Amino acid sequence: MKRKITISVLISLCLLIFLHGSQPSVSAQDPASQVLQLVNQVRANYGLSGFTYNARLAAAAQEQANWMAVNTQYVHNHGGSTPQTRAESAGYVGYVSENIVGGTNLTPQQGVVWWQNSPVHFNTMISTRYVEAGVGVAYGPDQNFYVLVVGKPSDSPPVQQVAQPETAPAYVAPIILAQPGEDGSIVHKVLTGQTLWAIAARYEVPLQTLLLYNNLAEDAFLQPGDELLIQLAEGQSPPPTPTPPATHVVREGETAWTIAARYRLSLDEILWLNGLSEDSILRPGDEVVIRLLPGQSPPPTPTPQLTHIVHSGDTLWGVALAYGLSLDQLLAWNGLDQNALIVEGQALYIRATETPVPTPTPTFTPMPPDTPVPTATAVLNAVIASSTRTTPVAPPAVEGTAVAQTPAAFSEAKPGGFGSAMLIGSVIAAVGLLALAVVAVVAIRRAL
């Protein structure tokens, strides 16, 4: 009996071990965590700190991913629902932005790559405005959908907006994969609502390849009925790689920093090429120079900027990043620690400066501790003694010359005379000066 029980226990243990070993790892079951990790890796590549996970933002992202999977539509707003209202419904207090993507067998890695290829979505990933994020993942009949919602918490709820008339969601026709032609080429016919990046994601080809094959710019607008070359015919040579653009047209939400990051330039280079300052504001439609054409004269080298004036929303990390500095450099040059608070209007050094010569502090030589403070009587006696003079003898007369009159200073002082008056005035003045001197000496000794 005991032997049968032992055998049964062993069989059960083996079965449990087999079942446990056949289960995929936790990381393989959690694509949402993979997406957030990959996004934070992109941020790290640009010297940015990663987004902090927020469960409420994740709930809002999951709601949007589920809707996209059911409706097979790539839209942010539908039926009065927006990224902001979805976050508020999930209990998040703050401001948000959203990235979406979908594609057949699309992996988390591929989804993040699509976002990197789209300027608007790329700006969301490397934004310094948002600090938290959540990810939603859902699966449709033939596509995987990923949603990233990033947010910045606020102490007060967003301002109540005026309700807008509810409109029907914009229809986006499902992207059906076209079959290769006889020559091996694949051509996709654009349907309502389909975009370049969504088509690239659906066919799993790089967005830049799609633009190259069809001689399109990134901001090209597709019309229903347009045909896009997805795959070249067998033996067909790809078109020549276009010359990199010399300028960039600013889109909504772009800044000098995000444009510089996109073209692998520093912020200083963008500002220098365009004669801009850190306070310059870029507006949609502005044309920004990103490289000089052959033979084009460079702009004059500006005087190196020494300080950055703190603006609303600035952080020490963001300022350091904007000027290509490490946080330690910025802190050291300004005598700050990483927990220091900065305020709007504050000037921060953004490059090393010579150590300023400290202003010398006035010092006083202390009197020896055994030096007595002179009394008023002693000083008065000294003044009287120095003021008492004997009447000098008049010089002898020289024959043939009149004797000169003795000056008043040499006349004998008599009580009640002019000399006595002068003596008394001198004594009074000396006493006054003495009093001031005594007060000063006492104050200095107390201070020391």
Side-chain angles (χ1 to χ4, degrees), residues 354-435:
E354 294 182 2
T355 305
V357 179
T359 303
T361 304
T363 58
F364 300 94
T365 303
M367 298 177 62
D370 56 349
T371 302
V373 178
T375 63
T377 302
V379 174
L380 178 60
N381 290 337
V383 172
I384 294 174
S386 63
S387 301
T388 304
R389 304 169 186 262
T390 51
T391 304
V393 179
V398 178
E399 186 178 356
T401 305
V403 178
Q405 297 296 322
T406 304
F410 289 91
S411 64
E412 183 178 358
K414 297 180 181 180
F418 181 73
S420 297
M422 288 186 62
L423 177 59
I424 294 172
S426 300
V427 170
I428 294 174
V431 171
L433 292 174
L434 172 63

Side-chain angles (χ1 to χ4, degrees), residues 74-95:
Y74 300 88
V75 291
H76 296 281
N77 305 332
H78 47 81
S81 174
T82 67
Q84 187 66 51
T85 61
R86 289 190 289 272
E88 293 172 11
S89 298
Y92 187 78
V93 179
Y95 303 94

Side-chain angles (χ1 to χ4, degrees), residues 318-339:
V319 173
L321 178 67
Y323 293 98
L325 308 175
S326 68
L327 182 59
D328 289 340
Q329 285 177 311
L330 185 66
L331 296 177
W333 293 343
N334 291 276
L336 302 173
D337 60 51
Q338 60 181 358
N339 297 319

Side-chain angles (χ1 to χ4, degrees), residues 55-87 89-90 96-102 115 121 134-140 143-150 169-170 172 197:
R56 290 184 172 86
L57 293 179
Q62 190 60 51
E63 178 187 349
Q64 173 67 358
N66 292 341
W67 185 91
M68 292 174 63
V70 170
N71 296 275
T72 319
Q73 294 186 27
Y74 300 88
V75 291
H76 296 281
N77 305 332
H78 47 81
S81 174
T82 67
Q84 187 66 51
T85 61
R86 289 190 289 272
S89 298
V96 305
S97 186
E98 181 182 78
N99 276 4
I100 59 176
V101 70
W115 289 337
H121 298 85
V135 176
V137 179
Y139 304 98
Q143 296 187 62
N144 303 338
F145 296 90
Y146 303 98
V147 177
L148 170 73
V149 179
V150 298
V172 178
W197 72 269

Side-chain angles (χ1 to χ4, degrees), residues 35-46 48-51 97-100 108-133 148-150 257-258:
V35 171
L36 184 56
Q37 182 180 2
L38 291 167
V39 169
N40 282 340
Q41 183 59 55
V42 172
R43 291 177 64 82
N45 292 341
Y46 288 92
L48 295 167
S49 57
F51 289 128
S97 186
E98 181 182 78
N99 276 4
I100 59 176
Q109 176 71 49
Q110 291 170 330
V112 173
V113 170
W114 301 140
W115 289 337
Q116 286 181 276
N117 287 332
S118 170
V120 174
H121 298 85
F122 176 68
N123 289 347
T124 300
M125 289 198 295
I126 66 169
S127 173
T128 58
R129 177 182 181 185
Y130 304 103
V131 297
E132 300 175 323
L148 170 73
V149 179
V150 298
W257 152 244
T258 59

Side-chain angles (χ1 to χ4, degrees), residues 86-421:
R86 289 190 289 272
E88 293 172 11
S89 298
Y92 187 78
V93 179
Y95 303 94
V96 305
S97 186
E98 181 182 78
N99 276 4
I100 59 176
V101 70
T104 303
N105 298 323
L106 194 69
T107 65
Q109 176 71 49
Q110 291 170 330
V112 173
V113 170
W114 301 140
W115 289 337
Q116 286 181 276
N117 287 332
S118 170
V120 174
H121 298 85
F122 176 68
N123 289 347
T124 300
M125 289 198 295
I126 66 169
S127 173
T128 58
R129 177 182 181 185
Y130 304 103
V131 297
E132 300 175 323
V135 176
V137 179
Y139 304 98
D142 60 351
Q143 296 187 62
N144 303 338
F145 296 90
Y146 303 98
V147 177
L148 170 73
V149 179
V150 298
K152 176 185 178 182
S154 173
D155 294 335
S156 57
V159 178
Q160 187 68 32
Q161 299 181 356
V162 179
Q164 300 293 331
E166 189 166 306
T167 57
Y171 175 74
V172 178
I175 301 176
I176 307 300
L177 297 177
Q179 297 302 312
E182 294 182 358
D183 59 357
S185 65
I186 297 178
V187 177
H188 175 81
K189 187 173 184 179
V190 178
L191 299 179
T192 302
Q194 295 177 356
T195 61
L196 279 167
W197 72 269
I199 295 171
R202 183 70 174 90
Y203 281 93
E204 299 187 17
V205 298
L207 178 61
Q208 296 301 324
T209 298
L210 195 63
L211 299 176
L212 175 64
Y213 287 176
N214 295 275
N215 192 27
L216 295 174
E218 292 183 358
D219 55 356
F221 184 76
L222 300 180
Q223 297 281 0
D226 290 346
E227 292 187 345
L228 292 177
L229 180 60
I230 306 297
Q231 179 175 296
L232 299 174
E234 295 180 7
Q236 181 180 356
S237 299
T241 302
T243 302
T247 60
H248 172 84
V249 178
V250 179
R251 297 177 174 86
E252 184 69 35
E254 289 187 324
T255 64
W257 152 244
T258 59
I259 294 172
R262 180 183 177 195
Y263 291 99
R264 305 299 189 265
L265 300 173
S266 68
L267 178 62
D268 286 341
E269 288 176 308
I270 283 289
L271 298 180
W272 170 64
L273 287 170
N274 294 275
L276 301 174
S277 69
E278 60 165 357
D279 299 321
S280 300
I281 298 176
L282 297 180
R283 294 179 173 81
D286 289 348
E287 192 171 25
V288 176
V289 177
I290 56 176
R291 72 179 183 89
L292 297 174
L293 295 173
Q296 184 177 357
S297 300
T301 302
T303 303
Q305 185 177 337
L306 182 62
T307 61
H308 167 84
I309 305 302
V310 175
H311 301 281
S312 177
D314 277 354
T315 63
L316 287 169
W317 181 269
V319 173
L321 178 67
Y323 293 98
L325 308 175
S326 68
L327 182 59
D328 289 340
Q329 285 177 311
L330 185 66
L331 296 177
W333 293 343
N334 291 276
L336 302 173
D337 60 51
Q338 60 181 358
N339 297 319
L341 297 177
I342 55 176
V343 296
E344 188 173 358
Q346 180 179 349
L348 295 175
Y349 286 111
I350 57 172
R351 61 185 69 253
T353 59
E354 294 182 2
T355 305
V357 179
T359 303
T361 304
T363 58
F364 300 94
T365 303
M367 298 177 62
D370 56 349
T371 302
V373 178
T375 63
T377 302
V379 174
L380 178 60
N381 290 337
V383 172
I384 294 174
S386 63
S387 301
T388 304
R389 304 169 186 262
T390 51
T391 304
V393 179
V398 178
E399 186 178 356
T401 305
V403 178
Q405 297 296 322
T406 304
F410 289 91
S411 64
E412 183 178 358
K414 297 180 181 180
F418 181 73
S420 297

